[in-house]
Amino acid sequence: SGLEVAAKVIQFFSKKEISLTLRLGPEMRHYSDLLSKNSVSVILPRQVTFTVNREEFAPASFLTRAGINVAFQSQASDGARGLPQQAMEAVERGMGADAALYALTRGAAEALGVQDRVGSIEKGLDADLLIWHGHPFEAGSRLQRVFIDGKEVPR
């Protein structure tokens, strides 16, 4: 079955100590222990919820609660514009706001294996920086300043 194949693939990569990132659909709810145990990252589907056996399943919330690194995805060259909206929808469906921010930044960098270059604010890393008044996913928060390549961008 698909579950057996996925488990074998995850175990193979884990034994070889090769980082693995998967993009999964509703079946991911069956893999949470295996994903967590083997430190497998998951690229979240663009669909914020799935209905399985008449129950709503919110992958972002479910996987982060299981301790699994997640990242949001875009499917087009300009798809990054929709990432904040995906994150806000995930927060509305139970994902923690800090977990959503992490999935947009450090979690995404880890999933892509580029955390040594981007994903957090650290000396030596490339970063664009947005400074908000309030948490970016809270109502009433305002973007105050934007820095790209170390230079402030006029708004």
Side-chain angles (χ1 to χ4, degrees):
S1 79
L3 290 173
E4 292 170 2
V5 171
K8 288 179 182 179
V9 169
I10 291 168
Q11 290 169 347
F12 173 82
F13 276 82
S14 181
K15 284 180 187 174
K16 299 284 184 182
E17 297 182 5
I18 300 171
S19 296
L20 180 62
T21 299
L22 299 174
R23 193 176 96 190
L24 302 171
E27 70 278 2
M28 73 181 71
R29 67 194 187 287
H30 300 295
Y31 300 97
S32 63
D33 291 339
L34 187 61
L35 296 168
S36 179
K37 177 182 160 195
N38 291 289
S39 302
V40 175
S41 293
V42 173
I43 304 294
L44 293 168
R46 294 194 72 188
Q47 187 175 346
V48 178
T49 61
F50 295 103
T51 301
V52 180
N53 298 329
R54 296 186 180 162
E55 285 188 46
E56 189 174 85
F57 169 67
S61 176
F62 174 80
L63 294 171
T64 54
R65 284 192 198 132
I68 297 164
N69 181 56
V70 299
F72 294 100
Q73 70 169 308
S74 63
Q75 293 180 326
S77 59
D78 67 345
R81 292 180 189 184
L83 291 175
Q85 182 64 33
Q86 286 180 44
M88 286 193 287
E89 289 175 9
V91 169
E92 289 171 3
R93 303 235 174 9
M95 183 181 203
D98 288 341
L101 188 57
Y102 190 91
L104 285 171
T105 56
R106 183 67 181 192
E110 289 176 8
L112 297 173
V114 294
Q115 68 273 15
D116 60 332
R117 295 188 0 237
V118 296
S120 59
I121 303 169
E122 296 178 41
K123 185 176 181 176
L125 298 187
D126 295 336
D128 296 334
L129 184 65
L130 306 176
I131 299 176
W132 292 82
H133 175 68
H135 196 288
F137 300 128
E138 290 179 4
S141 293
R142 294 184 321 275
L143 180 62
Q144 293 186 316
R145 298 171 78 185
V146 176
F147 293 85
I148 297 177
D149 292 329
K151 297 182 177 99
E152 187 165 5
V153 177
R155 295 181 3 145

